[in-house]
Amino acid sequence: MSQRFLVTAVHSRRDGLQNGDSNDSSSVTPRQNTVPILQYLREPNRYGDGIPKESSPFINNTDIDKGILYEGKNLALFEEELDRNPMVSSLLNRLANYTNLTQGVREHEEAENNEEPRKKEIKAPRMGTFIGVYLPCLQNILGVILFLRLTWIVGAAGIFGSFWIVFMCCACTSLTAISMSAIATNGVVPAGGSYYMISRSLGPEFGGAVGICFYLGTTFAGAMYILGTIEILLTYIVPSAAIFKAQDPSEENTALLNNMRVYGTCAITLMATVVFVGVKYVNKLALVFLACVILSILAIYAGVIKTAFNPPDFPLCMLGNRTLAWQNFDVCAKFSIEGNETVTTQLWQLFCDSPYLNATCNEYFNLNNVTIIQGIPGIASRVIIDNIWSTYGPLGEMLEKQGIPSVPASEDASNTGLPYVFSDIATYFTMLVGIYFPSVTGIMAGSNRSGDLKDAQKSIPTGTLLAIITTSFIYLTCIILFGACIEGVLLRDKFGESVNGNLVIGTLAWPSPWVIVIGSFFSTCGAGLQSLTGAPRLMQAIARDGIVPFLRVFGHGKANGEPTWALLLTAGICEIGILIASLDSVAPILSMFFLMCYMFVNLACALQTLLKTPNWRPRFKYYHWTLSFLGMSLCLALMFICSWYYALVAMVIAGCIYKYIEYRGAEKEWGDGIRGLSLNAARYALLRLEDGPPHTKNWRPQLLILLNLDAEQNVKHPRLLSLTTQLKAGKGLSIVGSVLEGTFLEKHGDVQNAEQNIKSLMGLEKTKGFCHVVVSSNRRDGVSHLTQSSGLGGMKHNTVLVAWPELWRQSDGPTGWKNFVDMVRETTAAHQALLVTKNIDSFPTNQERFAGGTIDVWWIVHDGGLLMLLPFLLSQHKVWKKCKMRIFTVAQIDDNSIQMKKDLHLFLYQLRLDAEVEVVEMLDNDISAFTYERTLVMEQRSQMLKQMQLSKNEREREAQLIHDRNAAAHSSAAAKVSLAPEGVHMTWTKEKISAEKNKNKELLSPEGVRDIFNMKPEWGNLNQSNVRRMHTAVRLNEVVVNKSQDARLVLLNMPGPPKNRQGDENYMEFLEVLTEGLNRVLMVRGGGSEVITIYS
C-alpha cells in the first residue's frame, strides 16, 4: 500500500480484547486478490458496470469484495452498499497496485510464464523525467533536418527569415506542449500517449481521424529518416556505391533519386526485419544513437569556437561571381606554371574545346577571372552581414555571390554541362517552412512512453518543455552561428559540391567533418528504426480500440504482442515515401499530418478549459484556453503556409475517416469534450427555443410515437417505426415511448429490456430519435405522463403517432377504448396534432418501393394544413417517391363546386404542392335504413354492456356476436344500397336531386329493415345525434371507398370525440364505420395551429 495513505482499523476495545486481534475482519491484505490492469482493460465489462465506456479499475469492481465474508459490526449500516461499491481499504489497495503497462506487456508475461516454471514478479515502471521524457524528445527533435538541410535553409532564407521559420515552428510546438501537458496531467494516461489523449478528449471520431493522421505522419517520418540515411551514405560516405550513374550533369538529380529508391527499399526491408526480430535490440541501441546526436552537436559548437582564431581551410572556387563545383579539377585557376611554361589546367578543359591556349572557350569564362574565397571565414569575419537577408531563387539557378565583380556574357551563351553549382529546387519562404517543420515534431516522444514513467503527470510536462527549450536554443543559435561563420554561397550549396562533396555542416565541425557525417548517419538510421517501432504500436492501439472496423486485423500480432500485421502495413506505407525519393518532397507531407495532430491537441485542451467540466483538473497549472487557441490557429496557419494543397488533402483524409467512424465505427463513450460541447450547444439552443413558439415556416412534425409491447417487452407493431422513418423528411424530433404497468421498483429490469428492444428496432428501421419507457400504475396515466412531459424546453413533441386499437371491442372491459378516447382529448387540450394509423401492419417497410399509385387526401375540415404537409413529407422517402398526390374535398348542395376546384388549384399552387384536385358533392339526403340499423346495434351494445355484469369471456363472446350480426346487416344493406358511381356527382341538377330522394325513400320501406334483436326499440327512441353522426360516417365512407379503395394510402380528417363522455364508445364505432373497407388509413387531427404557409 502506498505510504501516502494511513488506514486505521475501526473496532471497539472490547471486541479487540475478546478476539485478541487488532485487525478488523474486513481488512484486505495488501496486493491480494487484485486484478491486473491489462486484464481489466481487455474485459472492461467483466469488472466494470457492464456499459462499454471508458472505465476505471477502481469503480464498480466489487468481485474482490464479494469473496470476503463480512462479519464486523462497525460498518453494518453499509452492508447493502458493499454489494455495489468497494470498501475504502480495497479501493486504496488497488490504487497502490495500479500500473500503466505498455502495449503488449501482458502478452510478454504470458509467453514468459509458458517458458519458465517460475512466475516472475512484474516490476513497476521506474523511468524518471530525464531518461523517460527529456532524452527521447531530444533524440526525436534533433535529427536529419539539422544535419542535412538547416545550413541550406539559412542560406536561402537568410538569418532573419530562418529565425522566423524556427521561431514559428518552435512556438507552435511549445504551445502544443503546454496543451499536451495539461491533458496529460488531468488523470492517469495509460500507454498510448498522444493518441489516447486526443481520442479520450475529443471522442472516437476525432480520435480515430487524428490518430490515423498521427500514424501516417510517424510512418512518413520513418521514410524521411531512411531517405536521409541513404543520402548521407551515397553522397558523403560511399559515393561510388551508386548503382545509377549520370552520363550528363543534367541527369544527376534523376540518377540520385533512382539510387535513393533502390537503396531505400533495401533499407526499409532490413529495418523492418530488425524490428520484427526483436524490438529490445532497437531500444538498447537508442542510447547509442542519442550519443551520436549529442556528440555531433558538441562538435558543431566546438568548430564554431575554433573558427574564431583558426578557421578551417575549405576554399571555394569562383568564376566571376559564380560558384564552381569542385569535383573534376584540382587547381582553381585557368593556367599554371610548370617550369617556365604556361599550361592550361583541368578547369580550362572543362570550359574550352581543347587544352591549348588558342582554344575556343565559353564566353563567360573568357570575360571573368577565377578567384578563391574561404568557405568558412570564421565567426570573427563580417560574413554575418551578407547572410542576414534572404536569397531565394528558381529551379536551376546558378549560385552567385554578391560583391564580386562579374562581366555578364551574351544571353545565348549556354551553361549546359559546365561545372557550376545549380539549385535543384525553387526556394521560397513557405516551402522552407514545410521542409523545416519535421525537425520539431518529436515532442510526443515522452507522452508515447507514458506507460513506462514513474510519475507521468510530473515527468511529461517537465521533460517535454525542457526538451523544447533546449532544442529551440540549439536551432536558434545554430542559425546565427551558421550565418556568422559560413559563406552564403556555401550555405546555399545543398550537397556541398563546391567543397568537393563534403557535408556543409561537417566543414564547420571539429575535430573532423567525419564526426558529423558518421554521427548524422547513425542518428538518422536510429530515428528510422524508432519510427518503425512506434508507428505499428500506434496502429495496434487504434485497431484494438475497435473504432475503425476495417483496421481490426492490425490489432493482432505475435504471441508476445508484437504488432506483425501493423508492421507490414507501416513498411508498405513507408515504401510509398521512399518511392517519392526526395527528402524535400516527403518532409511537407509528414508536416501536414503532424500539424493536424498538434492542432487537435490544442483544440482538446481549449475545449476542455472552456467547457469547465468537473473532471477537468490538471495538475499542470500553466495553461490557458487562449494559449491553446493560439496554438491551434498557428498549426492551421502553418498547414496552409507549408502547402495549401497538401493541407486540403490531409483535411479530406481526416474528414473521410471521421465520417466513416461516425457511420460505421463502434460507439464509444469516453467522456470526451465533443460530447460536452454538444451538451453545452444543446443547452444554449434549448434556452433560445424557449423564447417563443416556432414560426409556421419552421414547423415540422416532432413526433411522440406510442408503442405497445407484449409480455416479453417486444414491440407489437414495428411498422409504426417504419412510418416514422418515412415521415422524417422534416428532420424533426422523434421520441419513441411506451408504458409498462406496475411500479418502477418491480419493473426497472423490464424497463431496461424494453428500452434495449426498442433501440434495437429503431436501429433496424433507421429511426433517429430517443427512447422513453415509463412505468405507471395504469396505462392511461402513463400515456398522459408521456404526452405531458416528453421532450425538454422548446424541443417538445407537437404530434402524437399511435396505432388504432384494432381489438377495442374484444379488450378487457371499456379500459382499452376509454384510454384511446382520453388520449385524443388530452392531445387536443395540449394543442398537439394526432396521427392514428389503421391497419398499421399492412403499411410498407422501409425496404419496399411503390412503383406507382396515389396518396389520397380527404380534406373535409381545415386542420392547419397538416393533411397537405404529410403527403409531401412521405413523398420525399424512397418508399412513396413514385406515388402521386390526390386531394378530395366535399362540397354541400349550396356550394359552387366548380369555383371550389379553381380555388383549391390556386391554393395548392401557392403552397408549391403538385396534386390532382377533385371536389365531391354530397347530397343532404334522407337517412338510410342501414344507418338506422347501425345506430340501433351500436346503442343496444352500449346499453347491454352497461346494464349486464358479464364475465370477461361472456363479454367477449357477446361483443363478437354483435360484431358478426353487424357485419351481416352491413352486407345485406350494402346489397340494396348501390354504390354505383352515379351516386356521387360533380355537379347537381334538380332532376338528379329528385331521383336521389326517391331512391332513398324506396330504401326506407319496412322490407329493408331486419329485426336483429326482439328487444329492439322504435327508431323514434334512438338518439338523433347518434343517428346523424352515423349517417355522416356511412355516407362519407361510401364516397371514400368509391374513390380511394385502390389508393396506396388514405389520409382524412379525424373527427373529435363528443363532449359528453357517455358517448365515448359510440365515438369508436363512428371511426370504425368511417374507415371500413380501406386498406391503409392515416387519420389526422390537427393541433390547432397553422403548419403550412403560402409565404416565403
Side-chain angles (χ1 to χ4, degrees):
M1 184 176 295
S2 176
Q3 296 178 358
R4 292 176 294 177
F5 298 95
L6 178 62
V7 179
T8 304
V10 181
H11 56 86
S12 64
R13 182 180 301 270
R14 184 179 62 182
D15 292 340
L17 292 174
Q18 289 177 352
N19 299 332
D21 189 359
S22 60
N23 292 329
D24 195 306
S25 60
S26 63
S27 62
V28 181
T29 304
R31 301 185 181 274
Q32 179 182 359
N33 293 327
T34 56
V35 180
I37 185 61
L38 273 182
Q39 183 178 348
Y40 171 80
L41 291 175
R42 288 165 66 91
E43 300 178 295
N45 294 340
R46 178 180 175 187
Y47 303 102
D49 54 6
I51 301 173
K53 300 178 181 179
E54 188 62 30
S55 305
S56 163
F58 319 126
I59 304 299
N60 294 329
N61 188 0
T62 59
D63 292 345
I64 301 168
D65 297 325
K66 288 179 181 178
I68 301 172
L69 182 62
Y70 179 76
E71 297 177 351
K73 302 176 181 177
N74 298 312
L75 298 179
L77 184 61
F78 297 93
E79 284 180 356
E80 298 295 334
E81 297 294 325
L82 293 179
D83 293 336
R84 293 179 291 124
N85 301 324
M87 290 184 293
V88 174
S89 58
S90 177
L91 170 67
L92 297 180
N93 182 32
R94 274 173 278 161
L95 179 63
N97 288 322
Y98 177 70
T99 58
N100 293 325
L101 300 181
T102 54
Q103 191 70 268
V105 168
R106 185 174 187 271
E107 289 80 358
H108 278 292
E109 295 169 10
E110 293 175 353
E112 291 175 355
N113 292 337
N114 293 333
E115 295 175 2
E116 300 182 11
R118 284 190 308 170
K119 183 178 179 180
K120 295 182 178 180
E121 182 180 357
I122 304 171
K123 294 183 179 180
R126 294 300 178 197
M127 280 191 180
T129 303
F130 186 76
I131 298 295
V133 180
Y134 180 75
L135 291 182
C137 287
L138 214 63
Q139 180 185 1
N140 281 267
I141 295 175
L142 300 173
V144 60
I145 300 297
L146 171 64
F147 300 120
L148 296 183
R149 293 293 182 268
L150 189 59
T151 53
W152 173 68
I153 291 174
V154 174
I159 296 176
F160 186 76
S162 302
F163 189 91
W164 273 109
I165 291 174
V166 174
F167 178 79
M168 281 195 305
C169 296
C170 290
C172 175
T173 55
S174 299
L175 294 171
T176 303
I178 292 173
S179 300
M180 182 189 69
S181 299
I183 297 174
T185 57
N186 186 51
V188 179
V189 180
S194 54
Y195 162 70
Y196 181 91
M197 290 188 293
I198 296 171
S199 61
R200 271 57 177 180
S201 297
L202 294 179
E205 293 86 2
F206 278 107
V210 179
I212 292 177
C213 286
F214 188 49
Y215 163 76
L216 292 174
T218 306
T219 304
F220 275 101
M224 184 188 71
Y225 292 134
I226 294 173
L227 291 175
T229 303
I230 303 305
E231 182 178 316
I232 295 172
L233 178 69
L234 296 180
T235 307
Y236 306 113
I237 299 179
V238 193
S240 59
I243 298 175
F244 300 93
K245 299 183 183 296
Q247 302 298 327
D248 187 85
S250 61
E251 300 177 356
E252 289 182 358
N253 190 39
T254 303
L256 176 63
L257 295 181
N258 290 331
N259 287 319
M260 299 278 278
R261 294 184 178 102
V262 174
Y263 278 95
T265 303
C266 296
I268 184 62
T269 305
L270 179 62
M271 290 183 178
T273 304
V274 171
V275 173
F276 176 78
V277 170
V279 181
K280 58 183 179 180
Y281 302 111
V282 178
N283 295 331
K284 289 179 180 179
L285 291 174
L287 289 177
V288 177
F289 299 142
L290 178 61
C292 294
V293 175
I294 295 175
L295 288 176
S296 300
I297 293 173
L298 293 177
I300 294 172
Y301 282 106
V304 170
I305 296 173
K306 181 176 176 291
T307 62
F309 52 86
N310 186 16
D313 184 23
F314 281 98
L316 303 179
C317 186
M318 309 293 296
L319 177 61
N321 64 350
R322 298 178 181 178
T323 308
L324 299 180
W326 204 324
Q327 293 178 348
N328 297 320
F329 60 92
D330 52 355
V331 180
C332 182
K334 293 181 180 181
F335 313 103
S336 62
I337 306 296
E338 294 183 1
N340 293 325
E341 184 179 358
T342 302
V343 296
T344 58
T345 61
Q346 294 177 351
L347 182 62
W348 175 281
Q349 298 176 20
L350 295 174
F351 283 89
C352 302
D353 57 2
S354 70
Y356 302 107
L357 295 175
N358 60 352
T360 303
C361 298
N362 178 268
E363 182 181 359
Y364 188 83
F365 183 77
N366 289 329
L367 295 176
N368 292 274
N369 296 324
V370 176
T371 57
I372 296 177
I373 62 174
Q374 280 297 322
I376 304 179
I379 196 171
S381 66
R382 300 176 59 85
V383 71
I384 189 174
I385 299 176
D386 299 331
N387 293 330
I388 289 179
W389 306 110
S390 61
T391 313
Y392 301 121
L395 171 66
E397 180 189 40
M398 291 179 289
L399 302 187
E400 298 178 348
K401 176 176 172 54
Q402 302 297 327
I404 296 180
S406 174
V407 179
S410 59
E411 295 182 359
D412 58 349
S414 175
N415 297 316
T416 305
L418 298 180
Y420 294 122
V421 179
F422 297 94
S423 61
D424 67 327
I425 189 174
T427 54
Y428 44 92
F429 181 81
T430 57
M431 184 269 295
L432 296 180
V433 174
I435 293 177
Y436 172 77
F437 188 82
S439 64
V440 296
T441 55
I443 63 172
M444 296 289 188
S447 63
N448 291 339
R449 299 184 177 212
S450 56
D452 300 323
L453 299 176
K454 182 179 179 181
D455 186 357
Q457 296 191 13
K458 177 182 177 182
S459 298
I460 290 177
T462 306
T464 305
L465 291 175
L466 283 177
I468 290 176
I469 292 172
T470 304
T471 54
S472 299
F473 174 80
I474 292 173
Y475 280 124
L476 293 174
T477 55
C478 283
I479 287 173
I480 298 173
L481 294 177
F482 292 163
C485 297
I486 305 176
E487 185 61 53
V489 288
L490 180 57
L491 287 172
R492 287 182 283 149
D493 186 3
K494 183 187 294 184
F495 301 107
E497 297 175 88
S498 60
V499 287
N500 202 18
N502 282 301
L503 183 61
V504 175
I505 195 173
T507 61
L508 185 62
W510 180 87
S512 170
W514 285 101
V515 176
I516 298 293
V517 173
I518 301 301
S520 60
F521 175 80
F522 284 109
S523 171
T524 52
C525 183
L529 284 172
Q530 292 289 345
S531 296
L532 288 179
T533 303
R537 279 157 178 73
L538 179 59
M539 173 54 68
Q540 188 181 48
I542 298 172
R544 287 186 172 180
D545 263 347
I547 58 176
V548 185
F550 69 86
L551 293 180
R552 287 175 182 167
V553 65
F554 300 108
H556 306 294
K558 295 193 295 184
N560 61 355
E562 292 300 321
T564 307
W565 293 106
L567 177 61
L568 290 176
L569 177 66
T570 302
I573 298 175
C574 197
E575 177 64 19
I576 296 175
I578 289 173
L579 293 178
I580 296 175
S582 173
L583 188 148
D584 300 326
S585 300
V586 173
I589 297 177
L590 64 101
S591 295
M592 292 300 111
F593 293 121
F594 277 117
L595 280 168
M596 182 167 292
C597 177
Y598 296 165
M599 180 177 69
F600 280 101
V601 169
N602 286 292
L603 173 62
C605 181
L607 201 61
Q608 298 279 22
T609 306
L610 289 174
L611 291 177
K612 297 180 179 179
T613 54
N615 193 52
W616 179 247
R617 303 184 302 274
R619 291 189 179 277
F620 181 77
K621 301 300 182 182
Y622 305 101
Y623 71 94
H624 195 267
W625 70 268
T626 54
L627 296 177
S628 301
F629 186 79
L630 179 62
M632 181 183 67
S633 303
L634 189 55
C635 289
L636 184 63
L638 284 175
M639 287 179 65
F640 284 92
I641 287 175
C642 294
S643 175
W644 64 269
Y645 46 89
Y646 279 166
L648 292 178
V649 170
M651 288 183 172
V652 168
I653 292 175
C656 292
I657 298 171
Y658 178 92
K659 298 305 292 184
Y660 177 81
I661 296 174
E662 185 179 20
Y663 285 106
R664 297 293 302 276
E667 293 185 4
K668 301 285 184 179
E669 176 53 70
W670 286 336
D672 52 88
I674 295 298
R675 184 174 178 82
L677 181 63
S678 300
L679 290 173
N680 273 18
R683 170 183 168 274
Y684 176 77
L686 286 173
L687 292 175
R688 291 289 303 272
L689 287 175
E690 284 283 5
D691 292 341
H695 191 272
T696 304
K697 291 185 289 186
N698 294 326
W699 194 95
R700 60 196 66 195
Q702 318 278 18
L703 294 177
L704 169 63
I705 305 98
L706 297 178
L707 298 179
N708 291 328
L709 305 177
D710 58 18
E712 296 179 353
Q713 287 78 49
N714 293 319
V715 179
K716 287 185 178 180
H717 303 295
R719 300 290 179 92
L720 208 56
L721 291 181
S722 301
L723 178 62
T724 303
T725 303
Q726 296 158 21
L727 275 172
K728 294 317 290 180
K731 303 295 182 183
L733 174 71
S734 294
I735 303 174
V736 182
S738 186
V739 179
L740 298 180
E741 295 188 20
T743 62
F744 184 75
L745 292 177
E746 298 173 351
K747 296 285 187 177
H748 68 276
D750 293 341
V751 169
Q752 294 180 354
N753 187 26
E755 288 184 345
Q756 183 177 358
N757 293 339
I758 293 175
K759 288 179 180 178
S760 299
L761 184 60
M762 290 173 67
L764 291 176
E765 298 293 342
K766 297 181 180 179
T767 304
K768 302 294 183 181
F770 308 97
C771 176
H772 191 191
V773 178
V774 298
V775 181
S776 180
S777 58
N778 57 77
R779 181 169 179 81
R780 182 200 177 285
D781 291 343
V783 171
S784 179
H785 295 159
L786 283 175
T787 306
Q788 296 177 57
S789 61
S790 294
L792 182 64
M795 285 297 288
K796 291 181 66 69
H797 64 277
N798 53 28
T799 306
V800 177
L801 175 61
V802 67
W804 171 260
E806 303 288 347
L807 303 178
W808 64 274
R809 291 191 179 96
Q810 287 80 21
S811 61
D812 186 10
T815 307
W817 53 263
K818 279 191 175 181
N819 289 344
F820 179 82
V821 177
D822 287 342
M823 182 197 64
V824 176
R825 287 195 174 99
E826 287 181 354
T827 54
T828 304
H831 301 289
Q832 296 173 1
L834 178 63
L835 308 180
V836 179
T837 60
K838 193 171 183 189
N839 302 324
I840 181 60
D841 293 329
S842 66
F843 275 63
T845 63
N846 292 327
Q847 287 72 38
E848 296 181 38
R849 302 288 184 271
F850 286 137
T854 61
I855 301 176
D856 288 358
V857 178
W858 285 86
W859 191 22
I860 302 171
V861 295
H862 182 57
D863 61 348
L866 187 57
L867 272 173
M868 308 290 186
L869 187 60
L870 291 177
F872 170 76
L873 296 179
L874 287 174
S875 65
Q876 304 304 302
H877 196 272
K878 289 180 286 187
V879 173
W880 307 90
K881 198 171 187 66
K882 295 184 179 180
C883 295
K884 295 182 180 180
M885 179 178 171
R886 296 193 303 179
I887 297 182
F888 297 89
T889 188
V890 176
Q892 300 299 319
I893 191 170
D894 297 331
D895 296 329
N896 187 339
S897 58
I898 298 177
Q899 186 61 39
M900 282 181 63
K901 187 173 183 179
K902 291 181 180 179
D903 294 341
L904 186 54
H905 267 299
L906 178 61
F907 181 59
L908 292 177
Y909 177 79
Q910 292 174 336
L911 289 177
R912 291 88 65 198
L913 295 176
D914 296 326
E916 298 179 8
V917 174
E918 187 169 346
V919 178
V920 178
E921 296 178 340
M922 292 182 61
L923 176 65
D924 189 12
N925 54 6
D926 295 331
I927 299 174
S928 65
F930 175 69
T931 301
Y932 281 104
E933 289 292 339
R934 290 298 297 263
T935 309
L936 177 63
V937 171
M938 178 184 70
E939 291 193 356
Q940 285 180 343
R941 176 182 180 277
S942 177
Q943 291 175 4
M944 289 171 61
L945 292 180
K946 288 179 181 178
Q947 295 175 0
M948 301 175 63
Q949 300 296 328
L950 301 176
S951 66
K952 176 181 177 181
N953 295 333
E954 291 173 337
R955 191 175 301 171
E956 289 181 355
R957 286 197 301 268
E958 182 68 24
Q960 185 63 39
L961 176 62
I962 295 175
H963 176 69
D964 294 341
R965 291 178 176 176
N966 179 20
H970 176 67
S971 60
S972 176
K976 296 182 179 181
V977 181
S978 177
L979 295 178
E982 60 267 15
V984 180
H985 307 283
M986 283 298 300
T987 304
W988 291 98
T989 61
K990 293 182 178 180
E991 293 78 6
K992 290 181 179 180
I993 294 174
S994 300
E996 185 68 20
K997 289 183 177 181
N998 294 331
K999 184 188 299 183
N1000 289 329
K1001 289 180 180 179
E1002 294 175 359
L1003 290 175
L1004 291 177
S1005 62
E1007 292 77 12
V1009 179
R1010 293 188 307 161
D1011 188 6
I1012 299 177
F1013 296 111
N1014 294 328
M1015 48 182 288
K1016 180 183 71 172
E1018 296 297 331
W1019 288 351
N1021 297 330
L1022 293 175
N1023 188 320
Q1024 294 304 309
S1025 175
N1026 289 339
V1027 173
R1028 290 195 305 271
R1029 292 172 184 270
M1030 182 64 73
H1031 173 68
T1032 303
V1034 170
R1035 290 290 295 144
L1036 191 57
N1037 176 256
E1038 292 174 359
V1039 174
V1040 173
V1041 170
N1042 180 43
K1043 293 289 184 180
S1044 303
Q1045 191 170 17
D1046 298 328
R1048 298 293 187 183
L1049 179 65
V1050 176
L1051 290 87
L1052 73 161
N1053 291 111
M1054 178 180 177
K1059 296 181 180 180
N1060 184 6
R1061 289 180 175 269
Q1062 295 179 357
D1064 286 353
E1065 65 275 13
N1066 300 334
Y1067 173 70
M1068 299 294 291
E1069 190 72 36
F1070 295 147
L1071 295 181
E1072 194 75 59
V1073 172
L1074 180 63
T1075 56
E1076 274 183 351
L1078 299 174
N1079 185 19
R1080 303 183 190 94
V1081 182
L1082 183 61
M1083 292 183 283
V1084 180
R1085 184 162 176 77
S1089 60
E1090 295 290 335
V1091 301
I1092 195 168
T1093 178
I1094 63 175
Y1095 300 104
S1096 61

